[in-house]
Amino acid sequence: MSFAAKKLGHQDPYWSAELTVAAAVYGTAAHMQIIRYLRANGPSTRRDIARRTGLSHGLAAQCLNKLKSAGVVTTPPEEQVAETYHLETGRAEGLFRALESYLHLGQKDQPDATGSAVVLPLHDGLRRQTG
């Protein structure tokens, strides 16, 4: 657990270890680019992910290792030459929902300035209407 998470945990009773993981997963643009790429394109090698997202090979490798340790991406054990990374959609969406729930904690769904229901964006184009 990072220093920031420890400090926040003492001040915020709603913070959890799962939120620490979620913040690490969705806390960088590079992680989000990789998640979005895998969601749109399916299983891919690190080389393809780096090339298609514009990330350096080193940064892609570092991010994929972190995403793998968080359970957001997996590699089948039988692949030995060029690992193919698979998005664990349920895990990725679960972490995203945990962040969303935390961010909206204590807020009542209220209409926007036009009187329409507020629409909250969800992961990768999915949307949920409130109200």
Side-chain angles (χ1 to χ4, degrees):
M1 187 181 297
S2 71
F3 172 77
K6 287 180 186 176
K7 185 176 177 182
L8 183 62
H10 292 294
Q11 297 174 0
D12 188 343
Y14 298 106
W15 193 261
S16 67
E18 190 74 350
L19 283 168
T20 299
V21 173
V25 166
Y26 287 102
T28 71
H31 289 178
M32 291 178 63
Q33 285 177 324
I34 290 170
I35 292 167
R36 186 172 183 191
Y37 174 81
L38 289 172
R39 186 175 182 99
N41 298 287
S44 301
T45 64
R46 179 179 51 190
R47 182 179 182 158
D48 286 339
I49 292 166
R51 186 168 28 106
R52 299 288 180 120
T53 61
L55 301 173
S56 70
H57 290 285
L59 180 57
Q62 180 182 19
C63 291
L64 286 163
N65 286 336
K66 288 181 182 179
L67 293 173
K68 190 174 179 180
S69 70
V72 174
V73 299
T74 58
T75 55
E78 66 274 3
E79 296 183 20
Q80 296 179 19
V81 178
E83 287 185 320
T84 301
Y85 292 86
H86 300 255
L87 178 64
E88 293 297 323
T89 306
R91 176 74 170 147
E93 289 177 355
L95 290 172
F96 188 85
R97 281 193 299 273
L99 281 175
E100 180 185 41
S101 294
Y102 177 77
L103 292 173
H104 295 292
L105 193 64
Q107 291 183 334
K108 298 209 181 263
D109 296 332
Q110 296 184 13
D112 65 10
T114 65
S116 301
V118 176
V119 177
L120 301 174
L122 291 181
H123 182 40
D124 200 34
L126 299 176
R127 294 164 61 93
R128 172 177 62 99
Q129 186 168 340
T130 63

